[in-house]
Amino acid sequence: MRRIRKKTGKLIDELIALRDSRKSIDDFFLSYLVNFYENCRLMHAFIASGGNNKDLITIAYRQYYVFLVSCWETFFRDVFIYVHTQDNRLTERLLKKMDPAIRTLNNDIVTLPELLSKSFNFQDINDLEDAYNEIWGTNFLKHICSTNIGPCGINGKVSHGLVVNSLFDNWHDYIIKTFSIRHKVVHDANFRPEVDIQFIQKAEAVFLLIPQIATQLISEKFNLKRIVFMKEELCVPYIFTVSEILANDWQVVQ
């Protein structure tokens, strides 16, 4: 049985602050892309500028892991709260695995879904899956990474076969290692990971791709707005790649 955090004034203040920074569900995905874009562009611009200072590259490399996990955590926490605000049946199923005392913590200041979100660490892959598995009745991340979301738009074209497993068969390892490096960077200032450009490129691609596919599947389930690709009479969901995130010639049209 999963324990819950004690409801304190500090916890309530934290939840209210998170609520104030949280936008509508229609904006969650866009916010994720914007957050990713800002930090990804900074990192790539630094590398492209010919940063020859090895110490600065090492610092930037470490901090990039912090950013990747922070964006991931914010996205999945905010979507979790939305989903459980909309579907009480999911919440009831989840509550069966929780400490019964959490039912007594709901009040007019913070909601039960908000309190539930604090029972999970979205920077931990096991906690993330525990939080989301009830939505699909199966392993959440495996479902996302084995589902073909085609037809969809990607790189300005239509793809009829887009599956994470086909692109990154070891996506799980990338997530675990990224979480681990981030944890060490935050909690051990002496930690100096070896700069592995090939790994960080794959990690950033995985951390960009999985939340987008999660958005598509959740949007279908709850009939939400999505970013789409239109070509003649075709209208399909769109998936952004890192190269597109870094482009300077696109704009948001609503």
Side-chain angles (χ1 to χ4, degrees):
M1 182 174 293
R2 181 174 293 274
R3 300 182 64 181
I4 59 174
R5 284 183 58 179
K6 184 178 180 181
K7 189 179 73 172
T8 62
K10 180 180 179 181
L11 177 61
I12 291 175
D13 289 344
E14 183 179 345
L15 288 170
I16 292 174
L18 290 172
R19 180 197 300 162
D20 290 342
S21 71
R22 189 166 57 245
K23 298 181 180 180
S24 72
I25 185 64
D26 295 335
D27 294 326
F28 286 169
F29 179 49
L30 182 59
S31 294
Y32 185 81
L33 290 178
V34 169
N35 290 336
F36 197 102
Y37 162 78
E38 291 175 345
N39 292 275
C40 182
R41 187 180 185 188
L42 175 64
M43 183 66 179
H44 282 260
F46 176 78
I47 295 173
S49 67
N52 295 318
N53 188 313
K54 186 176 180 180
D55 290 336
L56 289 181
I57 291 177
T58 301
I59 293 171
Y61 180 82
R62 295 205 309 270
Q63 292 306 311
Y64 199 36
Y65 285 99
V66 178
F67 144 71
L68 287 174
V69 177
S70 177
C71 283
W72 172 285
E73 176 190 25
T74 299
F75 173 81
F76 281 110
R77 182 192 62 233
D78 289 351
V79 172
F80 172 90
I81 292 173
Y82 171 81
V83 165
H84 285 278
T85 299
Q86 297 298 312
D87 194 330
N88 292 331
R89 294 172 300 176
L90 285 175
T91 305
E92 287 298 320
R93 292 205 296 266
L94 185 60
L95 284 172
K96 293 179 180 179
K97 303 178 181 179
M98 309 290 292
D99 186 333
I102 196 168
R103 292 180 181 272
T104 67
L105 299 180
N106 194 23
N107 57 38
D108 294 334
I109 301 177
V110 291
T111 66
L112 181 57
E114 288 175 316
L115 288 167
L116 278 171
S117 73
K118 281 300 179 180
S119 297
F120 301 94
N121 176 8
F122 295 100
Q123 298 178 8
D124 179 276
I125 198 165
N126 293 321
D127 267 28
L128 174 67
E129 290 173 344
D130 284 348
Y132 275 90
N133 285 354
E134 291 297 334
I135 297 178
W136 308 108
T138 185
N139 183 283
F140 178 65
L141 286 176
K142 287 183 179 178
H143 177 75
I144 287 176
C145 294
S146 62
T147 298
N148 181 0
I149 65 163
C152 65
I154 186 168
N155 288 326
K157 301 178 181 179
V158 176
S159 170
H160 291 277
L162 180 59
V163 185
V164 175
N165 280 338
S166 298
L167 298 173
F168 304 96
D169 58 357
N170 50 353
W171 57 266
H172 190 274
D173 294 338
Y174 292 134
I175 296 174
I176 293 295
K177 185 174 179 179
T178 299
F179 282 173
S180 176
I181 294 176
R182 176 264 168 202
H183 181 83
K184 293 176 182 177
V185 167
V186 170
H187 297 286
D188 183 2
N190 295 321
F191 177 63
R192 297 292 187 275
E194 178 185 355
V195 176
D196 185 341
I197 298 300
Q198 185 177 22
F199 173 80
I200 195 66
Q201 287 176 332
K202 292 179 179 178
E204 71 176 352
V206 168
F207 272 71
L208 176 60
L209 182 59
I210 289 179
Q212 290 189 81
I213 294 180
T215 296
Q216 300 305 330
L217 297 180
I218 291 172
S219 295
E220 288 179 2
K221 192 174 185 68
F222 291 92
N223 194 29
L224 304 174
K225 295 179 180 179
R226 291 179 285 177
I227 294 178
V228 298
F229 177 65
M230 300 183 67
K231 186 175 183 180
E232 297 175 352
E233 296 182 357
L234 184 66
C235 180
V236 295
Y238 198 78
I239 301 297
F240 288 88
T241 62
V242 172
S243 60
E244 289 177 304
I245 288 291
L246 293 172
N248 294 315
D249 58 350
W250 58 275
Q251 59 182 331
V252 177
V253 179
Q254 296 181 333

